[in-house]
Structure formats: C-alpha cells, structure tokens
Amino acid sequence: MAEAVFHPPRRKRRVFESYEAPFPVDVGGKDFRLCQAEIINNNVIVRNPEDIEQLYNKGYFGKGILSRSRPLFSISDPQLVAKWRGINTNMPIITSQKYQRRLQWARSVLQEQGLDECSISSILQSYTEPLGPPLCRGHGAQRSGDSCKGGPEPGDAELSRRCAGSEGAPSPEGSSQEGGDAALGPGTGSRQQEQEDSREVAEGSCHRDPPVLGGCEGKQSPELRAGESLDCRECAPEYVLVQEEEEGSSCPEDDSTDAQENLVKKEVLVCRKNPFRIFEYLQLSLEEAFFLVYALGCLSIYYGEEPLSILKLWEVFSEVKPDFKTTYMAYHYFRGKGWVPKVGLKYGTDLLLYRKGPPFYHASYSVIAELVDDNFEGSLRRPLSWMSLSGLNRTTANASKELMLCYLIRPSDMTAEEMSSPECMKRIKVQELIVTRWVSSRERSEQDEF
C-alpha cells in the first residue's frame, strides 16, 4: 500500500471576512457564553441572534435555514438597494409585488383563524397604511427618517393581536390595550412588547418554516418564553420601504400625438409595516450539536421545558439517526485535528473537511466513515462495489477533492452497554485511507524515471 501524498488545501480567491477563532469558547474563560438550542422535528435549532453569531463566527457551526451557509437572509431586493443607494436607511427595500405577496400570506393566515373578509380587510388596511410622506429619488437621510415616524394606528393593536407569530401567524386571543403597536417604531418600545414578541417567535414562527420548524408549539425553553436576550426586531424588520408608482405621476413627455405611448412613471419609496415577517434561525447538524454540548460544553439543548443531559442526547440522536454514533466519532476526531467538518451529502459522502472554514478554503477531503472491529469486519453502513467506488472517486476528483475512508476500529470485547455512552470513544482507534485512481500511463512514466 502506497503512502498518501499530502496536498495543501486550495484557498479561495475572494475572502471577505477575517478568521476569529476555531471554537466558540475562550481559552481563559472570561467571556464564556452558554448558548441555547431546541429540538424541533428532529432538528436542532438556535433562535437567539447573539447565540447564532457566536456559534457561526467562531467555528462555523450550523447554517442558516434560509441561506446557503452564513445566516444573512434579507427580504430586501439587491437591485432596488443599488437603485436607491442615495437613501440613507437600514430598512429593507422591496417591490410592490413582493409586498402584496406578503399581504396575501397575512390574509391567508387570518382566514385560518376564522375571521370574516370584512374584518380581515379592515385590519390589513389600517395596519399597512403609509407612514409619512413618500421618498423620491434625490432625497436623503433627512426624509428617510421622517417618512417612518408614525404613531400607533387604530388597527395596529388589532393586527398585532391577530398575528401571533414571527411570520405573521395569527392568534385568536388578544387584549384591547391602547398603543399595542408602540414597540414597532424605530428606537421605541416597552419590555412588555418585547416579551410578547419573543413569545410570538417561540410559539408561532414554526408555522411558516415547514422544512425545519413545522409543528413546534410548546417546545420553547423558559428563557425564550420570558423574552430574555431575544429581540425580534434584530431578526426581521417590522418596517419596509416599498417601491411604488406615485398616483397621478404618469404624464406625457411632450404634446405630440404619441403622448399616450410615452408616459413617464414616477417611482417613490413608501414606508409601510411588514404584515408578514420571516425570521432566520441557525440549524445545527446532530454531530455539531453534540460536539458543542459534549466536547465544548457551550450549548444547552432543550426539548420542551427541560434541558437534555449528555447521555439523553446520545440516546435521542442515535434513535433519530441510526448511524449517528459512527458519524459523530468521525466528526469528533477531525474537529480535534483542526478541520471544520461539514455535511458531505452534496458529494455522496458523510463529511467534507475544510481548513479554517468554508469562507477561506475549498474542502480538501470527502470522508466516508465506517465502524469495524479489530479484523476490519462488521456490518458496513454502505458497502461499496468496485463500480460505485470508482464513480464516487471520480465525482470527488472532478470537484478537486480527495476521497477518504475513515475506519473507526472498536475492540472486539466492547459491549453494547459501553456503546450506549459517548465514553466509548476512548477505546476507539481511527485509521484513514485515501483512495486514489491508478493511472497506468502515469505509473509507467514514474517507473521509467527511476
């Protein structure tokens, strides 16, 4: 068997961020932060914006549920942002069509609560009225700030009571307090409203994220229900700038007979309240979540109202994913070696190994993990034929990566009771095997050189 040749990782041409730390913990322990997550539909979800930033920036754990990797989802239209770059504002800018689509979503959610069409139209109309004069091209920050200074409208409190969810999921209950939407103004708000918003995120947001957060009522932790360190307005803006055509602004360019064909439409930005908010959370793989709990101790995972212990997580994750023990052992091993493992489903493998993180380098290895005994025997998770191995190796090579087989060798005398605890990893040995394609012409030329 030939000795493997190490190939240095390929650095990406464009790097837009700096490397902070390999793990979300400090060596000295001065600024230690215990993050919180929830198990929702067999997925581990982190809701708190500060926890999301901590876990992803330091170690690149997880991915945004609405983004490719880093949780940076925004409803703002990039083309409109570039078009209105003279407007000094941090609010999203969207088209009128996108805003109408959100109105339809809010209407559908209110209809599910059994409200009649008259009440729904009245609520939405009063909630989405323009706040201040529209912004025209050429107006700067002086107008952008004034355009959204609107006090509580009569329908604001009503829709706030109806929309009990981070994306506008309504709730049939509600109180008739005045100024129920006072916290929606930029820079204003009360502790009571923040608690209501945080409770809405925990209870209602799952209705609008079916791929990840479906059916999660009552699964939030007490800390999240109390609204501690969870500001909804940091996740999704309550106000948006909508590009609309100003009424009566269409006028002919000249007095010719073709005036009707040459109409100039004046576009303005109108500040309105977003009737259907969408929040992005951080989704951790089971291996990443367990590593943060077991190896680093910087994450607490809740199911319902109680945090789960390490042994309970080991049991639950093994039930959710039958080969969890095998994949986690490989994940733990490579994380300890300084690599950043990510899910390798895209290339048909278990893991992809990155140096520092995906923003800096391309993945160097595609890893398949197998748990075997001392004699390299056992029930393999995915038996490979020569044809499937050749196809997998070619797919990996075409992506400028190397295929690695990671064998986790357990002693023959290890019992099932020992495997029921993560402490069994102390007796596990690891052997790595890199698969390369043998090319006869290349081998012949190398022999001729000798």
mmCIF file of all heavy atoms in Angstrom, residues 8 12 26-27 57 66 77 120 138 167 170 204 207 235 264 292 319 364 367 419 437:
data_model
loop_
_atom_site.group_PDB
_atom_site.id
_atom_site.type_symbol
_atom_site.label_atom_id
_atom_site.label_comp_id
_atom_site.label_asym_id
_atom_site.label_seq_id
_atom_site.Cartn_x
_atom_site.Cartn_y
_atom_site.Cartn_z
ATOM 1 N N PRO A 8 -1.813 20.418 -0.236
ATOM 2 C CA PRO A 8 -2.259 21.566 0.567
ATOM 3 C C PRO A 8 -3.649 22.015 0.150
ATOM 4 O O PRO A 8 -4.029 21.900 -1.021
ATOM 5 C CB PRO A 8 -1.206 22.638 0.285
ATOM 6 C CG PRO A 8 -0.615 22.255 -1.033
ATOM 7 C CD PRO A 8 -0.653 20.757 -1.079
ATOM 8 N N LYS A 12 -9.522 29.981 -1.338
ATOM 9 C CA LYS A 12 -10.454 30.660 -2.231
ATOM 10 C C LYS A 12 -9.878 31.999 -2.683
ATOM 11 O O LYS A 12 -9.146 32.662 -1.945
ATOM 12 C CB LYS A 12 -11.798 30.878 -1.524
ATOM 13 C CG LYS A 12 -12.547 29.575 -1.267
ATOM 14 C CD LYS A 12 -13.944 29.817 -0.739
ATOM 15 C CE LYS A 12 -14.717 28.504 -0.613
ATOM 16 N NZ LYS A 12 -16.094 28.710 -0.111
ATOM 17 N N ASP A 26 -13.620 30.776 24.924
ATOM 18 C CA ASP A 26 -12.362 31.461 25.168
ATOM 19 C C ASP A 26 -11.456 30.581 26.013
ATOM 20 O O ASP A 26 -11.908 29.836 26.892
ATOM 21 C CB ASP A 26 -12.597 32.795 25.877
ATOM 22 C CG ASP A 26 -13.350 33.770 24.986
ATOM 23 O OD1 ASP A 26 -13.204 33.657 23.761
ATOM 24 O OD2 ASP A 26 -14.069 34.624 25.519
ATOM 25 N N VAL A 27 -10.156 30.687 25.733
ATOM 26 C CA VAL A 27 -9.190 29.864 26.465
ATOM 27 C C VAL A 27 -9.185 30.226 27.937
ATOM 28 O O VAL A 27 -9.180 29.379 28.822
ATOM 29 C CB VAL A 27 -7.783 30.021 25.858
ATOM 30 C CG1 VAL A 27 -6.772 29.200 26.650
ATOM 31 C CG2 VAL A 27 -7.776 29.604 24.392
ATOM 32 N N ASN A 57 -19.695 32.463 13.781
ATOM 33 C CA ASN A 57 -18.460 33.221 13.567
ATOM 34 C C ASN A 57 -17.244 32.523 14.153
ATOM 35 O O ASN A 57 -16.128 32.696 13.654
ATOM 36 C CB ASN A 57 -18.590 34.617 14.165
ATOM 37 C CG ASN A 57 -19.560 35.485 13.391
ATOM 38 O OD1 ASN A 57 -19.965 35.156 12.283
ATOM 39 N ND2 ASN A 57 -19.955 36.612 13.968
ATOM 40 N N LEU A 66 -32.471 29.753 5.861
ATOM 41 C CA LEU A 66 -32.903 30.428 4.637
ATOM 42 C C LEU A 66 -31.723 30.887 3.792
ATOM 43 O O LEU A 66 -31.925 31.583 2.787
ATOM 44 C CB LEU A 66 -33.790 31.634 4.982
ATOM 45 C CG LEU A 66 -35.070 31.329 5.756
ATOM 46 C CD1 LEU A 66 -35.805 32.614 6.118
ATOM 47 C CD2 LEU A 66 -35.990 30.415 4.959
ATOM 48 N N ASP A 77 -34.487 43.709 -1.757
ATOM 49 C CA ASP A 77 -34.128 43.431 -3.145
ATOM 50 C C ASP A 77 -32.792 44.104 -3.451
ATOM 51 O O ASP A 77 -32.679 45.321 -3.379
ATOM 52 C CB ASP A 77 -35.214 43.958 -4.082
ATOM 53 C CG ASP A 77 -35.034 43.443 -5.503
ATOM 54 O OD1 ASP A 77 -33.882 43.231 -5.919
ATOM 55 O OD2 ASP A 77 -36.050 43.274 -6.199
ATOM 56 N N ILE A 120 -60.931 41.093 8.115
ATOM 57 C CA ILE A 120 -59.561 40.936 7.619
ATOM 58 C C ILE A 120 -59.142 42.145 6.797
ATOM 59 O O ILE A 120 -58.040 42.689 6.971
ATOM 60 C CB ILE A 120 -59.444 39.644 6.791
ATOM 61 C CG1 ILE A 120 -59.656 38.413 7.687
ATOM 62 C CG2 ILE A 120 -58.082 39.559 6.105
ATOM 63 C CD1 ILE A 120 -59.655 37.106 6.931
ATOM 64 N N GLY A 138 -33.368 61.286 -4.882
ATOM 65 C CA GLY A 138 -32.653 62.523 -4.579
ATOM 66 C C GLY A 138 -32.818 62.965 -3.152
ATOM 67 O O GLY A 138 -32.094 63.824 -2.679
ATOM 68 N N GLU A 167 -43.744 35.200 11.581
ATOM 69 C CA GLU A 167 -44.015 35.491 10.201
ATOM 70 C C GLU A 167 -45.460 35.907 9.989
ATOM 71 O O GLU A 167 -45.961 35.876 8.885
ATOM 72 C CB GLU A 167 -43.716 34.282 9.315
ATOM 73 C CG GLU A 167 -42.274 33.921 9.231
ATOM 74 C CD GLU A 167 -41.862 33.044 10.360
ATOM 75 O OE1 GLU A 167 -42.720 32.619 11.122
ATOM 76 O OE2 GLU A 167 -40.671 32.782 10.490
ATOM 77 N N PRO A 170 -51.495 34.238 12.944
ATOM 78 C CA PRO A 170 -52.400 34.910 13.856
ATOM 79 C C PRO A 170 -52.771 34.065 15.047
ATOM 80 O O PRO A 170 -52.646 32.849 15.044
ATOM 81 C CB PRO A 170 -53.629 35.207 13.004
ATOM 82 C CG PRO A 170 -53.459 34.454 11.751
ATOM 83 C CD PRO A 170 -52.128 33.790 11.748
ATOM 84 N N GLY A 204 -45.131 30.839 17.424
ATOM 85 C CA GLY A 204 -45.796 30.897 16.141
ATOM 86 C C GLY A 204 -44.904 30.809 14.942
ATOM 87 O O GLY A 204 -45.383 30.602 13.843
ATOM 88 N N HIS A 207 -44.957 27.886 12.183
ATOM 89 C CA HIS A 207 -45.992 27.672 11.182
ATOM 90 C C HIS A 207 -45.523 28.038 9.786
ATOM 91 O O HIS A 207 -46.102 27.582 8.818
ATOM 92 C CB HIS A 207 -47.227 28.509 11.529
ATOM 93 C CG HIS A 207 -47.854 28.123 12.823
ATOM 94 N ND1 HIS A 207 -48.586 26.960 12.979
ATOM 95 C CD2 HIS A 207 -47.841 28.723 14.046
ATOM 96 C CE1 HIS A 207 -49.026 26.875 14.225
ATOM 97 N NE2 HIS A 207 -48.584 27.928 14.889
ATOM 98 N N CYS A 235 -33.988 40.290 14.280
ATOM 99 C CA CYS A 235 -34.083 39.180 13.338
ATOM 100 C C CYS A 235 -34.780 39.580 12.046
ATOM 101 O O CYS A 235 -34.333 39.230 10.967
ATOM 102 C CB CYS A 235 -34.830 38.022 13.995
ATOM 103 S SG CYS A 235 -34.077 37.441 15.518
ATOM 104 N N VAL A 264 -44.150 58.901 -18.517
ATOM 105 C CA VAL A 264 -43.088 58.825 -17.526
ATOM 106 C C VAL A 264 -43.724 58.500 -16.182
ATOM 107 O O VAL A 264 -44.551 59.267 -15.683
ATOM 108 C CB VAL A 264 -42.305 60.152 -17.454
ATOM 109 C CG1 VAL A 264 -41.239 60.058 -16.380
ATOM 110 C CG2 VAL A 264 -41.700 60.475 -18.806
ATOM 111 N N LEU A 292 -20.813 20.482 20.487
ATOM 112 C CA LEU A 292 -20.884 21.700 21.293
ATOM 113 C C LEU A 292 -21.290 21.405 22.727
ATOM 114 O O LEU A 292 -20.865 22.089 23.659
ATOM 115 C CB LEU A 292 -21.863 22.690 20.660
ATOM 116 C CG LEU A 292 -21.439 23.297 19.320
ATOM 117 C CD1 LEU A 292 -22.600 24.059 18.686
ATOM 118 C CD2 LEU A 292 -20.249 24.223 19.513
ATOM 119 N N GLU A 319 -31.393 7.424 18.051
ATOM 120 C CA GLU A 319 -32.698 6.981 17.567
ATOM 121 C C GLU A 319 -33.106 7.747 16.319
ATOM 122 O O GLU A 319 -33.668 7.176 15.379
ATOM 123 C CB GLU A 319 -33.749 7.151 18.663
ATOM 124 C CG GLU A 319 -33.546 6.247 19.869
ATOM 125 C CD GLU A 319 -34.576 6.497 20.953
ATOM 126 O OE1 GLU A 319 -35.422 7.411 20.756
ATOM 127 O OE2 GLU A 319 -34.549 5.809 21.981
ATOM 128 N N SER A 364 -11.058 19.896 1.283
ATOM 129 C CA SER A 364 -9.920 19.084 0.839
ATOM 130 C C SER A 364 -10.274 17.615 0.700
ATOM 131 O O SER A 364 -9.767 16.935 -0.201
ATOM 132 C CB SER A 364 -8.760 19.239 1.825
ATOM 133 O OG SER A 364 -8.336 20.585 1.909
ATOM 134 N N VAL A 367 -15.248 12.440 3.106
ATOM 135 C CA VAL A 367 -14.997 11.352 4.060
ATOM 136 C C VAL A 367 -16.201 10.427 4.137
ATOM 137 O O VAL A 367 -17.351 10.873 4.238
ATOM 138 C CB VAL A 367 -14.671 11.919 5.457
ATOM 139 C CG1 VAL A 367 -14.386 10.775 6.432
ATOM 140 C CG2 VAL A 367 -13.494 12.877 5.389
ATOM 141 N N MET A 419 -21.216 1.033 24.346
ATOM 142 C CA MET A 419 -21.549 1.888 23.220
ATOM 143 C C MET A 419 -22.716 2.821 23.509
ATOM 144 O O MET A 419 -22.969 3.757 22.747
ATOM 145 C CB MET A 419 -21.890 1.033 21.997
ATOM 146 C CG MET A 419 -20.718 0.268 21.419
ATOM 147 S SD MET A 419 -19.502 1.367 20.641
ATOM 148 C CE MET A 419 -20.443 1.992 19.277
ATOM 149 N N ARG A 437 -6.967 7.159 -7.794
ATOM 150 C CA ARG A 437 -7.159 6.410 -9.033
ATOM 151 C C ARG A 437 -5.806 6.051 -9.629
ATOM 152 O O ARG A 437 -4.940 6.906 -9.806
ATOM 153 C CB ARG A 437 -7.973 7.266 -10.006
ATOM 154 C CG ARG A 437 -8.269 6.601 -11.332
ATOM 155 C CD ARG A 437 -9.359 7.364 -12.065
ATOM 156 N NE ARG A 437 -9.516 6.894 -13.441
ATOM 157 C CZ ARG A 437 -9.144 7.573 -14.498
ATOM 158 N NH1 ARG A 437 -8.614 8.775 -14.348
ATOM 159 N NH2 ARG A 437 -9.306 7.083 -15.713
#
